[in-house]
Amino acid sequence: MKKNLLTLSLLFFAVVNSFAQKADPKNVLKIGFPELFAASLNLAYERAINDKVSFQVTGGYRHIQDSYGLTWTDNDNTRSEDRKIYSGYTVVPELKYYLTNTTWAAPKGFYISAFGRYGKYDVEFNDNTTPNNDYNATYSYTEAGGGVLGGFQFIFAKVFVMDFYIGPQMKLRTLQPVTYENKRIITDPKKAASYIGVEEDGQRPGVRIGFKIGAAF
């Protein structure tokens, strides 16, 4: 999966670079660089509306296999064979305001932005610990929210782009019912949900931080 994403990223830069022009760019295509190493793909398109304002939309896809004990407690390592597989997508529209001067204009320089966020994720839990794999299950959840960011976007030689950003965000997570292969498990749903580590409903404050690399044209 990671090799495929890396190959796709190289093709992305090759195609964009072939269309890059020497005029002052108004469009930017970017990829979330750290996400590549987490088996995720994050692509963003930004378009300058005028010298101070631009609009950006980011789309993300995630497919992650999480071993028990990586994000859940497993002090005695008795459940090291259990797995969670996450897959899903995220859409993030964003309005950016650049603090421009006589040298810089959108989409280059310091900026502040407001963004919304929506994501849907499917989760498959593989129980490889109990004799009959009693806790095999699937479920899904959505996350909706938004926040504000401060950032700086470099454009080198009117082509190469680096975008750094950080800011607070709030997400509301909504879980769908869990489906267990073993129907007897639903007689004690709280125990079952605890066993497989079902995410919690409700508000989730946090910090959005990252950087993207790409090309302007």
Side-chain angles (χ1 to χ4, degrees):
M1 180 65 180
K2 293 181 181 179
K3 184 180 295 185
N4 292 337
L5 291 177
L6 186 58
T7 301
L8 183 59
S9 302
L10 294 175
L11 290 174
F12 163 79
F13 287 115
V15 171
V16 172
N17 189 55
S18 68
F19 286 100
Q21 303 173 2
K22 293 303 180 181
D24 289 336
K26 296 297 182 182
N27 305 279
V28 179
L29 282 175
K30 296 172 284 188
I31 189 167
F33 187 70
E35 286 90 344
L36 289 176
F37 301 97
S40 299
L41 182 64
N42 187 303
L43 295 175
Y45 169 70
E46 180 177 354
R47 167 70 181 179
I49 299 172
N50 54 45
D51 286 347
K52 291 186 176 293
V53 179
S54 72
F55 178 76
Q56 176 174 290
V57 61
T58 302
Y61 173 75
R62 175 178 296 178
H63 185 85
I64 298 175
Q65 180 172 283
D66 184 9
S67 300
Y68 201 95
L70 179 63
T71 58
W72 315 317
T73 301
D74 184 24
N75 296 329
D76 55 5
N77 202 37
T78 58
R79 298 179 58 192
S80 60
E81 298 301 317
D82 287 354
R83 297 287 185 272
K84 260 187 181 182
I85 301 173
Y86 294 85
S87 60
Y89 66 88
T90 305
V91 178
V92 182
E94 186 173 346
L95 190 65
K96 304 171 75 172
Y97 180 83
Y98 282 83
L99 308 176
T100 58
N101 54 32
T102 56
T103 303
W104 294 337
K108 180 180 180 180
F110 290 98
Y111 64 85
I112 55 176
S113 70
F115 68 91
R117 174 191 176 98
Y118 177 82
K120 184 179 185 302
Y121 307 96
D122 297 316
V123 185
E124 177 183 341
F125 183 82
N126 300 140
D127 172 18
N128 298 311
T129 300
T130 64
N132 298 315
N133 309 117
D134 289 331
Y135 290 92
N136 284 346
T138 58
Y139 62 95
S140 62
Y141 63 89
T142 59
E143 289 184 336
V148 295
L149 297 175
F152 187 83
Q153 183 157 274
F154 300 86
I155 300 181
F156 303 97
K158 298 183 180 181
V159 175
F160 303 105
V161 177
M162 296 187 71
D163 182 12
F164 299 85
Y165 51 87
I166 186 173
Q169 66 175 348
M170 177 68 73
K171 295 183 288 185
L172 178 64
R173 176 176 290 172
T174 304
L175 286 169
Q176 303 302 315
V178 182
T179 301
Y180 296 97
E181 287 185 11
N182 184 349
K183 302 304 180 183
R184 293 176 301 172
I185 294 299
I186 63 176
T187 60
D188 194 347
K190 289 186 177 180
K191 178 182 177 181
S194 176
Y195 187 91
I196 69 176
V198 175
E199 289 76 3
E200 293 183 359
D201 257 339
Q203 295 182 352
R204 299 178 60 83
V207 176
R208 184 182 174 200
I209 183 172
F211 72 95
K212 294 180 172 66
I213 58 175
F217 59 99

